Amino acid sequence: MRKPIVVGNWKMHKTVEESVELVEELKPLVAEIGDVEIGVCPPFTSLSEVSRVLRGSNINLGAQDMYWEPQGAYTGEISAGMLLSVGCRYVIVGHSERRTYFGETDEWVNRKVRAALEAGLVPIMCVGETLEQRQKGITQEVVDRQVTEGLRGLSPEQVAGMVIAYEPVWAIGTGLTAEPEQAQEVQAFIRARIRQLFGEEAADSVRIQYGGSIKPENAREIFLQPDVDGGLVGGASLEADSFARIVRAAM
Ligand code: PGA
């Protein structure tokens, strides 16, 4: 059975001080939870301090993005090795905000996913359709392309060990959550595609999260869907109590 994974994506929120405060508060609230994998992805500036606070806890650290080159003249960028050096386990790749505001393409997402895996990080690769694409009836086509291109060149073992986050763009930060059945439908489709592309074992092992306006009130219903293996949580992860309640909903 797949272990559910709930990860907080803090986006561009929290100073170092605020970050430390949040994880200090979160740690005891989830301390005894063993059957859900838990992670937080603070902004780059907070990673090392948060890492220090999380040492020895059951909360893992992740980053929100990275660049695929190991080092070099790439002003403003951060490599996988740098993320590992501050104790990161995960890196979010291809979030819709990166695709929309920063022009990330499927090819870039693929390079980042490959570099992350080669370095030993677990990529959380985000896919999802816009409202316009859903209304046009091309959700599966869009998600299929993102999955196929994003995972190009990977081995079945690499796919098995990573995380995919299905985040319908129209549900992110809008308060509109996908109906549990809508999430299930797309996530079952993603798993079926992975089965075709990478085989049975990769499809059975890869964890597929749902993301988009998850709250303590709607989390359980979504997490109960058979192809939903936890969630990627934005807004509701900025507060310890609501994030802890969402983690609990995945138990
Ligand atoms: P949200 O964001 O929970 O605030 O909708 C989710 C995400 O973008 O990962």
Side-chain angles (χ1 to χ4, degrees):
M1 259 325 279
R2 295 180 295 270
K3 187 175 188 176
I5 171 168
V6 177
V7 173
N9 171 14
W10 296 4
K11 310 193 179 181
M12 198 171 74
H13 292 284
K14 307 281 180 193
T15 62
V16 175
E17 208 179 349
E18 290 163 348
S19 302
V20 167
E21 203 176 304
L22 174 52
V23 283
E24 294 276 22
E25 212 185 315
L26 180 64
K27 264 201 311 187
L29 295 179
V30 297
E32 82 296 2
I33 297 174
D35 41 13
V36 181
E37 194 174 312
I38 308 169
V40 292
C41 300
F44 290 134
T45 43
S46 293
L47 287 174
S48 60
E49 277 301 294
V50 168
S51 178
R52 189 182 52 77
V53 176
L54 294 182
R55 204 163 296 146
S57 78
N58 61 339
I59 305 171
N60 301 295
L61 188 65
Q64 299 174 17
D65 189 26
M66 57 166 263
Y67 193 56
W68 59 77
E69 292 292 344
Q71 75 237 327
Y74 303 103
T75 303
E77 293 298 323
I78 298 274
S79 72
M82 293 172 188
L83 297 180
L84 284 167
S85 77
V86 289
C88 283
R89 178 183 172 95
Y90 318 111
V91 59
I92 298 173
V93 173
H95 191 280
S96 67
E97 286 149 17
R98 301 242 28 115
R99 294 177 189 259
T100 306
Y101 306 137
F102 304 100
E104 290 209 0
T105 62
D106 287 325
E107 195 212 325
W108 281 42
V109 172
N110 178 244
R111 288 184 190 217
K112 291 181 179 193
V113 167
R114 285 189 352 213
L117 284 165
E118 275 153 29
L121 287 165
V122 176
I124 300 176
M125 185 182 87
C126 303
V127 300
E129 80 288 2
T130 62
L131 182 58
E132 198 193 343
Q133 291 165 335
R134 176 161 282 265
Q135 285 168 342
K136 274 200 203 144
I138 57 170
T139 296
Q140 291 198 347
E141 199 177 311
V142 169
V143 170
D144 184 17
R145 193 184 54 235
Q146 292 170 334
V147 168
T148 311
E149 297 300 320
L151 303 181
R152 189 175 291 281
L154 300 190
S155 69
E157 293 71 28
Q158 286 178 316
V159 174
M162 62 181 282
V163 179
I164 295 172
Y166 169 58
E167 301 203 303
V169 179
W170 48 272
I172 296 178
T174 56
L176 283 177
T177 321
E179 292 299 325
E181 298 72 25
Q182 286 178 313
Q184 169 57 26
E185 189 188 356
V186 180
Q187 300 196 195
F189 169 76
I190 293 172
R191 204 178 299 284
R193 280 300 282 145
I194 290 177
R195 186 165 287 118
Q196 288 171 341
L197 295 166
F198 298 97
E200 201 68 37
E201 210 173 298
D204 287 342
S205 303
V206 66
R207 286 173 300 173
I208 308 178
Q209 298 174 310
Y210 169 80
S213 297
I214 301 182
K215 298 180 227 28
E217 295 73 32
N218 59 26
R220 188 170 299 274
E221 229 196 322
I222 297 168
F223 294 163
L224 278 174
Q225 300 298 314
D227 286 296
V228 177
D229 309 308
L232 187 57
V233 186
S237 73
L238 295 173
E239 206 259 309
D241 183 63
S242 68
F243 186 61
R245 283 164 65 200
I246 293 169
V247 170
R248 251 167 236 291
M251 287 168 75

